[in-house]
Amino acid sequence: SLNVYYSTIFISATAITSTFNFINDSLYLTSASSIIVVETLTDSEIASIPIASDYIAYNSTNNLIYTSDLSSNNISIIDCNTNTFVGTIALNNPIFIQYCPNNNFLYIANNGGVEIAIINASNNLLVNTLTIPLGIGTLTYSVYDSVENNIYWGTTLGYILVISCANNLIIYNFFVGSSVITTGVYNALQNSVYFSLPFVSSIYQITTIGVTTTPYYVSGSSNYNLFLQSLGYEPIKVDYVRVIANQTQLANNVSIYK
């Protein structure tokens, strides 16, 4: 097996979520009191922006960070060139944020996750609001598919919505399992989206061309242990133990079994 150990990075607050800025080569982390900026070249905190935040997205076109705060009705905007607060976008209880680089638009789970507010990031104005269909839960995590130019958005009741960034419409939704969808990731090489459904011990792969669903088996004692088996590929075990809390980030241990 191959073991990879990541170094410990001490930060000034308990982080919630994060995003990576490849232009500045920096990691931006949200927390209850601030947005923390970590320079990955030195693995050290270089700034703390005093804005409470929960969820975050990076705009690579404008080099801006957008964060939501569950205790407010605003999206905060951070200029990554100076790491300073530059403005807000007024919404109604915004939660998750997804950025589409193809049209420079933001797609935000708004009103507690029952609608999607579409923002033109060029002027920070509301373009449209999409209402989530009844009976499929509220929005959770989303993944952007750069090949198809679609957003795949999970819900609390195990549905996935597909939003077209070309015409800003929900083009379809489908059921994948009786579980809240917790996380997702996009594989550009296979043009596939993977979503985690922890309460049914499954990972679903969505081949985004044609949109078919294939269950992937997951086992382990907690949500941090994923055993993935995919057709034509060797089993891969990932022990994910990174925790950021009380100014300390524990290490990752990634074991790839051949």
Side-chain angles (χ1 to χ4, degrees):
S1 66
L2 173 65
N3 294 313
V4 182
Y5 293 90
Y6 293 83
S7 61
T8 299
I9 303 172
F10 293 93
I11 56 178
S12 58
T14 301
I16 302 171
T17 57
S18 65
T19 190
F20 182 69
N21 180 333
F22 58 85
I23 295 178
N24 293 6
D25 198 19
S26 296
L27 186 66
Y28 288 75
L29 305 102
T30 65
S31 78
S33 59
S34 62
I35 300 169
I36 303 159
V37 186
V38 173
E39 182 185 64
T40 57
L41 182 64
T42 60
D43 283 343
S44 60
E45 181 177 332
I46 60 171
S48 179
I49 307 163
I51 297 174
S53 52
D54 288 287
Y55 298 101
I56 191 167
Y58 172 58
N59 179 338
S60 56
T61 302
N62 300 339
N63 201 27
L64 298 173
I65 289 288
Y66 298 85
T67 67
S68 64
D69 175 12
L70 299 183
S71 63
S72 78
N73 288 323
N74 293 323
I75 297 292
S76 297
I77 308 171
I78 304 300
D79 185 345
C80 296
N81 297 305
T82 58
N83 286 327
T84 56
F85 169 78
V86 294
T88 59
I89 302 171
L91 291 172
N92 178 25
N93 191 18
I95 311 176
F96 303 97
I97 312 169
Q98 182 62 249
Y99 174 67
C100 175
N102 190 275
N103 57 9
N104 196 27
F105 279 16
L106 295 165
Y107 298 79
I108 302 168
N110 197 36
N111 197 15
V114 299
E115 63 184 26
I116 299 172
I118 303 175
I119 304 293
N120 185 340
S122 299
N123 52 25
N124 296 324
L125 296 179
L126 181 67
V127 174
N128 193 15
T129 299
L130 305 178
T131 302
I132 305 306
L134 295 176
I136 67 171
T138 58
L139 297 170
T140 57
Y141 287 87
S142 62
V143 176
Y144 173 65
D145 171 7
S146 57
V147 174
E148 297 296 303
N149 194 28
N150 291 329
I151 294 171
Y152 290 78
W153 216 313
T155 76
T156 55
L157 295 181
Y159 284 81
I160 293 175
L161 285 79
V162 184
I163 297 97
S164 169
C165 295
N167 55 26
N168 292 324
L169 294 174
I170 299 173
I171 51 180
Y172 32 73
N173 68 80
F174 51 96
F175 179 75
V176 293
S178 300
S179 170
V180 58
I181 294 177
T182 54
T183 55
V185 67
Y186 175 62
N187 182 343
L189 294 178
Q190 296 182 5
N191 196 34
S192 295
V193 172
Y194 299 84
F195 280 101
S196 174
L197 288 76
F199 298 138
V200 293
S201 297
S202 295
I203 285 182
Y204 269 77
Q205 178 199 17
I206 302 167
T207 304
T208 57
I209 296 178
V211 192
T212 60
T213 59
T214 304
Y216 277 63
Y217 177 71
V218 181
S219 64
S221 59
S222 74
N223 292 342
Y224 300 109
N225 299 313
L226 303 180
F227 297 74
L228 283 74
Q229 174 70 66
S230 57
L231 291 174
Y233 293 89
E234 296 172 321
I236 297 175
K237 174 187 176 184
V238 180
D239 293 320
Y240 187 85
V241 293
R242 174 171 293 181
V243 177
I244 302 175
N246 300 325
Q247 305 181 4
T248 303
Q249 175 178 327
L250 301 180
N252 264 357
N253 175 10
V254 180
S255 300
I256 303 177
Y257 293 87
K258 297 297 184 179

